[in-house]
Amino acid sequence: MLPAVICALACVICNQSRLLFIFSLMPIGIACFMYSSATCWLSVVCSIVLYAASLLILHSQVPLGLANVFLRVGIFSLLNICFAWVIAPPAKGPGFLRGRTSVRLIIGSCIIFLGYVPSMYYFFQQDDFYIPLLRNVDRLLSIALMGTGGDVVQQSLLEEYFTPDTFVNSIVFVGLRGVGVVSIMFFLYLSRQVSLVVMRLVRRVIPVPELANFKTGKALIWVLSFSILAVLVSLYFSLEIPEIIAWNVFSICVMLYIAQGGGIVSFFLNRPGTPRVFRLITNICVIAMILRFSVLVIALVCLTFLGILENWVPLRVPKTNGPSSTPGM
C-alpha cells in the first residue's frame, strides 16, 4: 500500500508541474516493474483520487467550473489507466486485453487521443484557457523571431503571417493528422523504458534487448499502402474526416516500421562478436539525432525503409560459427 501511495503522489506532483510532466507516468511504471501489477493498478487508483482531491481543493478557493474539473480528472484518469494497461495487462479476463505490447501501445494511444480531442475542443472555447495560451505562444514566437536576426523585411513578413493564431491552428491541423497519436505513443513508450531503466539500475538487472526481437506482420505493408491511397483520394475529393483517419493509420504504420528498423540495428549491435566501435558510433549518431533535427529526420527515414525492406529480405539471421550442415557449402 505504501509504495502505491508514494508513486501516486509522485505522479500527481509531476503531472501538475510543467517541468516534470514528461516524468508523470514514470512512478506508475516503477510501481509495476519494481513491485507488482497489483501495486501498479492500486497506484493508478490512488493517483486519480489524489488528483481529483487536489482539483476540488483548488476549486473551493478559485472557481474552475465543474465541467473543467471533470474533464481534467477524466483526461488524467484515461492517461494513467491506458498506461497501466500497456505495462501491466490483467492476468485474467478476455484474451484481447493481453495482446502484444505493441498492439496495446497502439490501441492505448488511440484511446487517449480520442479522449483528448473533445476535451481540447472544450478548452479552446474557454477564454480563460485560450487567451493565456495565445499569450504564451506570442511570447515564445517573439523570442524565436528575435533569435533569427537576418533581413528586416523577412522578419516583418514572419511577424505578419506567423501569428499565435496561425501557429496554434497549424499545431491542431498536424496534431489531428497523425502527430497527436504518434506523440502520445512515444510518450507512453518513453515512460515505460525510463521506468525499466530505473528498475534495472536499482536492482542491477542485466538489460534484455527487447527491441531486437520486435517485428511486425507482413500484412502491415498492405495497410501502409492503402493508407497512402486513402490520403490521396481524400485530398482529391476534399474529404476531411477520411483524410484525418488515413493520416493517423499511415503515421502508426510508419512508427511500427521505425521500431522494426531500430530492432534490426539493435539485433546487429547485440550479436556476439560485434566490435565495440560500432556501438560507440551508434551512440554518437543517437546524440547527433537529438541535437540536430535534420539528422533525426534522415535517421527516421532510413529506419523506416530498413523496416519495410525486411518484408522481402531476411535481415535478422542468427550468426553461425560452426561448419555448414550442407556438404560443399
Side-chain angles (χ1 to χ4, degrees):
M1 183 67 182
L2 183 60
V5 174
I6 294 175
C7 290
L9 183 61
C11 175
V12 174
I13 293 174
C14 292
N15 187 275
Q16 295 288 61
S17 174
R18 294 181 180 179
L19 297 176
L20 300 177
F21 177 78
I22 193 173
F23 303 107
S24 59
L25 294 178
M26 191 179 71
I28 305 296
I30 292 176
C32 173
F33 298 125
M34 293 193 63
Y35 296 96
S36 63
S37 299
T39 306
C40 172
W41 284 101
L42 182 60
S43 179
V44 169
V45 174
C46 293
S47 65
I48 294 173
V49 173
L50 290 174
Y51 184 79
S54 65
L55 284 185
L56 290 176
I57 293 173
L58 182 62
H59 175 67
S60 63
Q61 298 176 354
V62 180
L64 300 175
L66 290 179
N68 193 338
V69 172
F70 281 124
L71 279 176
R72 290 189 179 185
V73 174
I75 292 174
F76 180 84
S77 304
L78 186 64
L79 182 63
N80 285 14
I81 290 173
C82 288
F83 179 67
W85 174 55
V86 170
I87 63 176
K92 297 180 181 180
F96 68 90
L97 294 177
R98 302 186 303 274
R100 295 174 60 185
T101 303
S102 58
V103 175
R104 296 198 306 272
L105 185 63
I106 294 172
I107 296 176
S109 302
C110 293
I111 293 174
I112 295 172
F113 176 73
L114 292 176
Y116 265 88
V117 169
S119 302
M120 295 306 298
Y121 178 79
Y122 170 81
F123 285 127
F124 276 19
Q125 304 301 318
Q126 308 300 316
D127 292 337
D128 56 347
F129 175 85
Y130 191 67
I131 294 177
L133 176 65
L134 291 180
R135 290 174 181 171
N136 292 330
V137 172
D138 188 26
R139 190 179 303 113
L140 294 174
L141 289 178
S142 300
I143 296 174
L145 292 175
M146 289 175 58
T148 56
D151 190 6
V152 178
V153 178
Q154 180 182 2
Q155 187 171 355
S156 62
L157 290 174
L158 289 174
E159 292 177 354
E160 181 180 355
Y161 293 102
F162 209 55
T163 62
D165 282 317
T166 57
F167 181 80
V168 173
N169 291 332
S170 300
I171 294 296
V172 173
F173 181 85
V174 298
L176 291 174
R177 286 159 176 80
V179 175
V181 173
V182 169
S183 301
I184 295 172
M185 192 185 308
F186 179 75
F187 178 51
L188 297 180
Y189 178 76
L190 180 65
S191 301
R192 176 181 181 271
Q193 295 305 111
V194 172
S195 303
L196 283 172
V197 169
V198 172
M199 184 269 294
R200 289 163 181 166
L201 290 176
V202 173
R203 296 192 173 182
R204 297 181 181 180
V205 179
I206 299 176
V208 178
E210 298 177 348
L211 188 61
N213 299 320
F214 178 78
K215 190 174 183 180
T216 63
K218 293 189 176 181
L220 186 67
I221 190 65
W222 293 105
V223 179
L224 178 66
S225 303
F226 282 118
S227 65
I228 296 174
L229 179 62
V231 168
L232 296 177
V233 172
S234 302
L235 288 174
Y236 182 80
F237 291 102
S238 301
L239 304 174
E240 185 176 7
I241 301 300
E243 178 199 349
I244 292 175
I245 296 174
W247 272 117
N248 281 278
V249 174
F250 171 78
S251 301
I252 292 173
C253 293
V254 170
M255 283 295 294
L256 290 175
Y257 278 124
I258 289 174
Q260 182 163 326
I264 296 171
V265 175
S266 177
F267 173 81
F268 281 101
L269 291 177
N270 288 281
R271 293 181 76 183
T274 301
R276 292 185 178 180
V277 64
F278 289 160
R279 299 178 184 177
L280 178 62
I281 294 174
T282 303
N283 293 328
I284 294 175
C285 292
V286 171
I287 296 174
M289 287 167 53
I290 297 174
L291 297 178
R292 293 295 298 271
F293 181 75
S294 57
V295 178
L296 176 63
V297 172
I298 294 173
L300 293 179
V301 171
C302 293
L303 289 177
T304 303
F305 281 106
L306 191 63
I308 294 175
L309 182 63
E310 198 176 27
N311 287 312
W312 299 280
V313 181
L315 298 175
R316 280 178 276 193
V317 180
K319 187 176 181 180
T320 57
N321 296 323
S324 174
S325 59
T326 305
M329 296 296 292

